[in-house]
Amino acid sequence: MSKLWGGRFTKETNQLVEEFTASISFDQQLAKEDIEGSMAHVTMLGECGIIPTEDAETIKKGLQTILAKVEKGEVQFQVEHEDIHMNIEKLLIDEIGPVGGKLHTGRSRNDQVATDMHLYLRHKTEEFIQLLTNVQKAFLQQASENVDTILPGYTHLQRAQPVSFGHHLMAYFWMFERDKERLQDSLKRVNMLPLGAGALAGTTFPINRERVAELLHFETVYPNSMDAVSDRDFILEFLSIASILMTHISRLSEELVIWSSQEFQFIELDDSFCTGSSIMPQKKNPDVPELLRAKTGRVYGNLIGLLTVLKGLPLAYNKDMQEDKEGMLDTVATLDGSLRLLAPMIETMQVNKDKMKRAVKEDYSNATDIADYLVTKGLPFREAHEVIGKIVLYSIQHKKFLLELKIEEYQQFSPLFEEDIYPILEPEHVVAARNSLGGTAPNQVRAQLKLAYEKLAK
Ligand code: ARG
């Protein structure tokens, strides 16, 4: 079977080369975008009188027939036609005859493939913004139910100061909000039209790029044809945003794994989101967060992979750039699966409020509050810190918690101590006292929830 570009060749392509250079096994995922781009291109060709209007109409009908077949899964793509662009062009010519050969007038696969990728990432970016919103809703719901749930807050994974569990969960809400903002902002650069750049230098035909941009709902056209066909920044940007997003998911996953361990028992993931062991009948494993944590690796890998592909490339198009696709498609699939799981897993998570409360009672995480108490009585903070350090050491040596020390014991360390120290040390008080803007006091958490609901309503 002869190639669409076969004219200057005297030999058939080596079979191994054909398989090695083909991208159809994966770029068939761009079939709809490829047809969408072609429809706009041929509309413009007809309108500008570059091809007869009847031909443009015939081609559009042909493309529609192919789209319907693609959607029904009736199309057999062929390795011998290398990629999605030539497969569809071949299907078109088979469908409507030689007039189908007019579709590729004034364009190249180089500006075509870039256009397909822009269209594809626009669709996916919009989907991910929606999926992230669903995840945020799950966090908002759990946070609203746990404003007054107190658990230890950690630094260095050592008990630091007690916090509201709602506050802790809302930290993730804001991370996902930034991810959404990054996606939203990236759309500016996704919504740029490369088509019309030709192979690299533009075209001899009197095309109208603005019209194609309008038909495809792009905000702008690339002002430089060489940049248009060489640019993969928008894919790098997507992979970077995805990497940061997966970092957030991975940190969350690590917390879920820790919290659901026998040692912590702060939460229990729903049975429907856990799996068992083939040998140990008692096991209920947090496989989902573990896999989410692990899948972060492949997303980082895809980013590094594409950065490396691009770093040494001269302008303009090089076949190397075909390697932009699998990493992107894999990242899209990974994000899609991860975000779809995350929302219901958080929604159905059981929170063990008693366990959390007990943990807070059995630690020294109220020590800062005793220091602050002495500061309000006039002692400089640095001196207060030293005094409380000694009190904590004394308590550890005497196997007591700070609430269990007698007032006489406190007074051995400073005459400033009085009975009013005790209510200050209760976990609820410790949390409520951190009422500074953005702090963990229930008042502040409620204000934060209000802000979050407003963000989502926009
Ligand atoms: N399959 C190619 C890719 O994904 C399409 C562009 C091919 N262009 C070319 N001049 N060989 O990059």
Side-chain angles (χ1 to χ4, degrees):
M1 177 82 240
S2 68
K3 303 279 185 211
L4 290 173
W5 41 252
R8 66 96 64 220
F9 287 79
T10 53
K11 282 188 178 175
E12 293 288 305
T13 316
N14 177 300
Q15 188 57 34
L16 291 172
V17 172
E18 196 159 276
E19 280 159 25
F20 189 69
T21 55
S23 52
I24 189 61
S25 64
F26 47 87
D27 67 11
Q28 56 182 275
Q29 290 185 58
L30 304 174
K32 283 184 202 160
E33 284 78 10
D34 196 71
I35 294 173
E36 195 183 347
S38 288
M39 293 284 282
H41 178 68
V42 77
T43 302
M44 179 277 292
L45 289 180
E47 285 175 3
C48 293
I50 297 168
I51 66 171
T53 329
E54 317 82 78
D55 291 353
E57 287 309 315
T58 310
I59 291 173
K60 276 203 259 180
K61 285 210 191 78
L63 286 170
Q64 251 145 12
T65 309
I66 294 164
L67 179 62
K69 285 189 187 164
V70 167
E71 277 168 347
K72 284 190 224 138
E74 287 173 5
V75 172
Q76 269 291 323
F77 294 114
Q78 263 145 28
V79 170
E80 109 194 48
H81 299 307
E82 190 180 326
D83 58 23
I84 188 62
H85 324 296
M86 290 196 295
N87 265 274
I88 288 185
E89 189 174 328
K90 181 71 178 55
L91 287 167
L92 180 70
I93 293 170
D94 289 347
E95 183 74 29
I96 62 171
V99 64
K102 294 193 179 185
L103 169 63
H104 210 53
T105 311
R107 97 179 164 181
S108 147
R109 275 187 295 157
N110 298 350
D111 54 349
Q112 186 180 357
V113 70
T115 303
D116 291 5
M117 300 287 271
H118 277 266
L119 287 170
Y120 179 83
L121 268 188
R122 173 210 283 165
H123 297 152
K124 292 299 167 189
T125 300
E126 284 166 354
E127 266 176 52
F128 288 139
I129 290 174
Q130 190 48 54
L131 288 175
L132 269 168
T133 303
N134 297 345
V135 170
Q136 284 181 303
K137 282 183 184 155
F139 273 87
L140 258 184
Q141 178 224 311
Q142 278 288 4
S144 309
E145 287 164 19
N146 287 288
V147 174
D148 298 305
T149 307
I150 296 174
L151 82 164
Y154 297 80
T155 61
H156 314 266
L157 203 55
Q158 303 288 324
R159 302 264 178 98
Q161 291 169 350
V163 292
S164 144
F165 189 49
H167 191 56
H168 193 132
L169 291 174
M170 283 306 289
Y172 287 99
F173 177 95
W174 297 114
M175 291 178 223
F176 295 132
E177 183 63 21
R178 290 193 295 275
D179 293 322
K180 264 169 61 176
E181 282 174 13
R182 273 185 279 270
L183 285 170
Q184 191 67 48
D185 187 68
S186 75
L187 280 174
K188 258 189 274 178
R189 289 164 292 279
V190 169
N191 282 324
M192 284 178 78
L193 178 77
L195 206 65
L200 76 165
T203 169
T204 55
F205 294 98
I207 58 168
N208 183 348
R209 297 185 68 204
E210 266 100 7
R211 176 68 179 135
V212 178
E214 182 185 49
L215 287 167
L216 293 175
H217 310 290
F218 282 110
E219 285 161 28
T220 47
V221 301
Y222 275 86
N224 180 307
S225 63
M226 295 183 78
D227 185 36
V229 292
S230 308
D231 177 33
R232 294 294 181 272
D233 292 359
F234 65 105
I235 305 176
L236 287 176
E237 196 172 341
F238 168 70
L239 296 174
S240 314
I241 295 169
S243 295
I244 298 174
L245 168 54
M246 286 306 292
T247 307
H248 297 153
I249 293 179
S250 190
R251 294 181 76 170
L252 168 74
S253 298
E254 172 66 11
E255 299 217 271
L256 296 177
V257 171
I258 293 177
W259 289 342
S260 58
S261 69
Q262 207 85 122
E263 285 65 25
F264 276 73
Q265 293 175 25
F266 284 176
I267 59 148
E268 187 172 344
L269 295 173
D270 196 73
D271 274 8
S272 58
F273 285 88
C274 294
T275 54
S277 156
S278 61
I279 169 169
M280 297 165 284
Q282 85 285 7
K283 293 294 292 292
K284 174 174 163 182
N285 295 328
D287 285 25
V288 174
E290 289 173 290
L291 272 177
L292 289 172
R293 189 172 60 188
K295 282 184 187 297
T296 306
R298 65 199 292 155
V299 174
Y300 293 177
N302 293 335
L303 169 63
I304 299 297
L306 184 58
L307 282 167
T308 312
V309 165
L310 293 171
K311 69 179 271 295
L313 292 188
L315 299 184
Y317 180 83
N318 301 271
K319 186 71 167 180
D320 310 50
M321 291 161 78
Q322 180 165 289
E323 285 288 309
D324 60 358
K325 282 170 205 65
E326 284 158 293
M328 182 195 71
L329 295 168
D330 179 72
T331 301
V332 164
T334 304
L335 275 196
D336 188 84
S338 303
L339 293 172
R340 280 179 203 279
L341 268 175
L342 197 50
M345 185 172 69
I346 293 298
E347 264 161 33
T348 56
M349 165 180 93
Q350 290 296 317
V351 180
N352 196 344
K353 300 185 184 189
D354 291 343
K355 259 283 175 189
M356 291 181 174
K357 185 70 177 285
R358 230 172 305 147
V360 171
K361 295 228 162 187
E362 290 164 6
D363 67 17
Y364 297 90
S365 63
N366 44 5
T368 315
D369 295 71
I370 318 185
D372 290 352
Y373 170 88
L374 290 184
V375 169
T376 59
K377 303 246 166 175
L379 203 63
F381 180 78
R382 199 43 63 208
E383 282 173 45
H385 187 289
E386 171 79 16
V387 171
I388 312 309
K390 296 221 166 78
I391 295 177
V392 170
L393 183 62
Y394 171 91
S395 306
I396 293 170
Q397 284 165 348
H398 290 78
K399 299 197 165 36
K400 287 181 173 186
F401 294 112
L402 296 170
L403 263 168
E404 296 167 344
L405 295 183
K406 299 206 175 62
I407 192 67
E408 297 76 40
E409 292 177 290
Y410 274 114
Q411 286 164 347
Q412 284 169 29
F413 292 93
S414 167
L416 295 171
F417 282 113
E418 292 171 85
E419 285 289 338
D420 61 354
I421 182 64
Y422 293 106
I424 286 173
L425 298 184
E426 291 294 342
E428 289 77 10
H429 187 280
V430 171
V431 172
R434 286 176 170 71
N435 199 17
S436 50
L437 183 65
T440 193
N443 274 340
Q444 293 296 329
V445 179
R446 274 185 256 276
Q448 215 185 122
L449 288 171
K450 187 166 169 281
L451 196 65
Y453 278 112
E454 283 164 14
K455 281 265 179 214
L456 286 195
K458 266 192 200 147

